[in-house]
Amino acid sequence: MKILILGSGGREYSVGLAIANEKAGHELFFQPGNGATNNLGTNLNIKDYNELADFAKENNIELTIVGPEAPLVDGVVDIFKAKGLTIFGPSKEAAQLEGSKVYMKNFLAKYNIPTARYLETSSIEEAFRFCETLPTPVVVKADGLCAGKGVIIAQTHDEAKKAIGDMLSGKSFGDAGKKVIVEEFLDGYELSMFAICDGDDFILLQAAQDHKRLEDGDKGPNTGGMGAYAPTPLVDDELYEKVKQRIIRPTLDGMKKEGAPFEGVLFIGIMVVNNEPITLEFNVRFGDPECEILMPLMTSSVSDMFYKAATNDLANINVEFSKEYAVGVVMASENYPYGSSTPAEIIVDEVHHEEIEKYTHISYAGVSLEDDKLYATGGRVLVCIGKGSTIKEARDRAYLRCGQVHFAGKKFRTDIAYQAL
Ligand code: AMP
Ligand code: GLY
């Protein structure tokens, strides 16, 4: 099958790698891809979605997989489907579960799906009044997409009011902050869960934990994610069942009732409070770097799973997972997440060690190819992934691999998966 993957990060590389590893003769295309995806397939440069759909049509692309949220929120799925193409991802309308926090919170409330107590408003007085009724810390969220920066955990009511004021005046996030959510702070531990959905049915992948802060010990600024591991032993069968029954099932049923059946990856940000899963947020795509560790844990065909999900046929699939653990450590460039860094050549030592060769690999993200040399040109440059029969073994192997990667200014956390060790 010819498969097109949209996106340029480690997430898209890892989906491509998993499909390439099936050795089923699939031919891969990436739009736009990165400096390493051209080892897996062909990088395209077709930015316009209509032109891209025409390319897919003319070249008999049988499946398109969308990585990031932006094209989904922009309606790429609707454009492809209108041309009769098979594409895995939610429609523009369903993508509002991520694109608008107000849409998401109101949806959760309407269908009685557990979430933090909140108020949605564009009135500063109303927001202030509700804020006063909540204990501190208070959580303030901008409605629209803010590249992961639209959530403020305010330690005092004054700080919360300042955040509300800055958002509603358009000062902090422009139009994305014209409506705000003020909500109660939940104290517990956070999980990322991913359900592959076809509108009616779903497959829940193993629960993962992300590490959002830049530095060891969860210090420093928030990032897109500095590392992840799965499955997490913090989740037992009972918790998986609660997530399925109380969150995913009612979400799929509710979206159908809303006339926007959910197809694609439902990424549920969960806070577990007293053993109860509470929905923090939805995203409508894989997490990055969570995808990089979940793909290698799948022992059944990934391309088949995406194809069946995109053709409303998940009822007829048996998905299998490895019994191993995977840990992914993100290597970032010098100035991440504050700003861009000078491109630095990446040297990866040749692997002569059987353990490293067999149980580790690299998923490339912010890299460019120039004169046959690979350069670190993005914020998060690559992810070193280790697998093992214990989390510790997987973690140790991931760090062995990190030791073989060299570029000026590289930085990474040294404590990924600490919560499970
Ligand atoms: P979100 O973009 O909604 O996932 O928020 C980003 C991060 O803020 C989450 O991953 C949580 O760590 C934190 N967060 C969001 N909402 C809450 C809440 N109600 N209580 C505690 N932490 C929260
Ligand atoms: N790693 C979290 C995210 O992709 O949003």
Side-chain angles (χ1 to χ4, degrees):
M1 180 160 64
K2 285 186 179 175
I3 300 173
L4 168 63
I5 299 174
L6 264 59
S8 63
R11 169 179 50 206
E12 290 75 24
Y13 182 94
S14 72
V15 170
L17 184 66
I19 294 173
N21 284 342
E22 290 172 11
K23 298 200 168 42
H26 299 310
E27 191 182 344
L28 294 171
F29 296 84
F30 294 87
Q31 166 55 37
N34 62 40
T37 51
N38 44 11
N39 289 324
L40 303 171
T42 308
N43 285 353
L44 305 175
N45 183 13
I46 310 173
K47 293 193 182 77
D48 181 84
Y49 299 139
N50 276 298
E51 280 174 36
L52 190 63
D54 289 339
F55 171 89
K57 197 95 200 158
E58 282 153 23
N59 290 277
N60 302 317
I61 303 278
E62 285 165 80
L63 172 65
T64 298
I65 301 167
V66 189
E69 64 275 21
L72 296 168
V73 171
D74 288 345
V76 71
V77 167
D78 310 67
I79 292 171
F80 271 57
K81 284 195 171 168
K83 295 191 196 261
L85 290 155
T86 299
I87 182 164
F88 176 67
S91 65
K92 183 176 178 147
E93 201 180 338
Q96 287 185 87
L97 281 180
E98 172 164 0
S100 164
K101 289 202 191 297
V102 168
Y103 179 94
M104 172 206 50
K105 289 294 285 191
N106 290 342
F107 174 84
L108 292 172
K110 181 169 174 188
Y111 292 97
N112 280 318
I113 299 167
T115 190
R117 206 153 56 85
Y118 74 103
L119 174 82
E120 165 232 322
T121 184
S122 49
S123 144
I124 193 158
E125 292 79 25
E126 226 177 47
F128 279 12
R129 235 179 291 132
F130 184 72
C131 173
E132 288 288 354
T133 68
L134 295 175
T136 55
V138 173
V139 184
V140 183
K141 301 182 175 182
D143 176 35
L145 290 179
C146 305
K149 298 188 179 69
V151 176
I152 308 286
I153 314 272
Q155 296 305 322
T156 63
H157 286 122
D158 283 345
E159 205 186 304
K161 286 178 178 168
K162 180 163 188 319
I164 292 166
D166 285 351
M167 283 183 196
L168 288 179
S169 66
K171 193 168 139 196
S172 13
F173 303 110
D175 279 354
K178 279 205 170 145
K179 271 189 184 169
V180 295
I181 301 277
V182 182
E183 76 177 26
E184 71 174 326
F185 177 81
L186 299 172
D187 199 5
Y189 62 89
E190 239 179 299
L191 297 174
S192 309
M193 289 222 208
F194 300 89
I196 309 295
C197 307
D198 72 359
D200 294 300
D201 293 301
F202 65 92
I203 287 161
L204 182 58
L205 306 187
Q206 291 144 305
Q209 266 193 316
D210 187 15
H211 299 64
K212 290 206 166 92
R213 303 291 202 96
L214 181 68
E215 290 157 23
D216 284 2
D218 291 327
K219 299 204 171 69
N222 261 327
T223 69
M226 292 299 289
Y229 74 96
T232 163
L234 301 170
V235 181
D236 57 15
D237 289 346
E238 195 186 331
L239 195 62
Y240 276 114
E241 230 17 72
K242 283 181 184 168
V243 171
K244 286 183 189 171
Q245 300 307 332
R246 296 186 194 166
I247 300 176
I248 305 173
R249 188 72 264 162
T251 297
L252 292 190
D253 293 348
M255 289 303 280
K256 265 180 94 169
K257 284 198 190 119
E258 297 296 311
F262 189 86
E263 301 174 19
V265 181
L266 184 68
F267 169 172
I268 313 149
I270 293 170
M271 189 72 86
V272 182
V273 184
N274 300 324
N275 255 326
E276 301 300 324
I278 315 224
T279 314
L280 278 183
E281 62 157 349
F282 283 138
N283 295 305
V284 298
R285 42 136 186 119
F286 267 119
D288 189 344
E290 291 96 322
C291 185
E292 286 93 312
I293 52 153
L294 290 171
M295 287 297 107
L297 287 175
M298 303 208 53
T299 48
S300 51
S301 163
V302 164
S303 61
D304 189 44
M305 177 177 76
F306 290 134
Y307 187 79
K308 291 224 160 77
T311 52
N312 202 286
D313 198 19
L314 279 183
N316 295 311
I317 191 176
N318 219 348
V319 170
E320 281 158 24
F321 305 102
S322 149
K323 298 229 169 348
E324 294 175 293
Y325 294 89
V327 173
V329 179
V330 171
M331 301 190 103
S333 54
E334 192 169 10
N335 299 326
Y336 181 74
Y338 308 104
S340 58
S341 311
T342 315
E345 190 183 346
I346 303 171
I347 308 283
V348 180
D349 296 339
E350 264 185 53
V351 179
H352 296 296
H353 190 299
E354 201 193 318
E355 188 180 350
I356 299 186
E357 191 172 344
K358 204 163 161 198
Y359 296 106
T360 77
H361 67 276
I362 296 174
S363 195
Y364 289 96
V367 298
S368 307
L369 193 67
E370 226 164 280
D371 299 330
D372 276 341
K373 289 183 183 158
L374 205 56
Y375 287 86
T377 45
R380 291 186 295 168
V381 176
L382 53 84
V383 188
C384 291
I385 295 117
K387 291 204 288 180
S389 54
T390 63
I391 292 176
K392 184 173 181 312
E393 190 175 52
R395 196 247 348 230
D396 290 348
R397 285 171 174 163
Y399 280 111
L400 272 178
R401 190 65 168 209
C402 288
Q404 300 199 309
V405 177
H406 315 280
F407 58 91
K410 77 169 181 188
K411 63 182 179 198
F412 56 97
R413 277 180 64 159
T414 64
D415 66 346
I416 300 305
Y418 76 92
Q419 285 144 297
L421 291 168

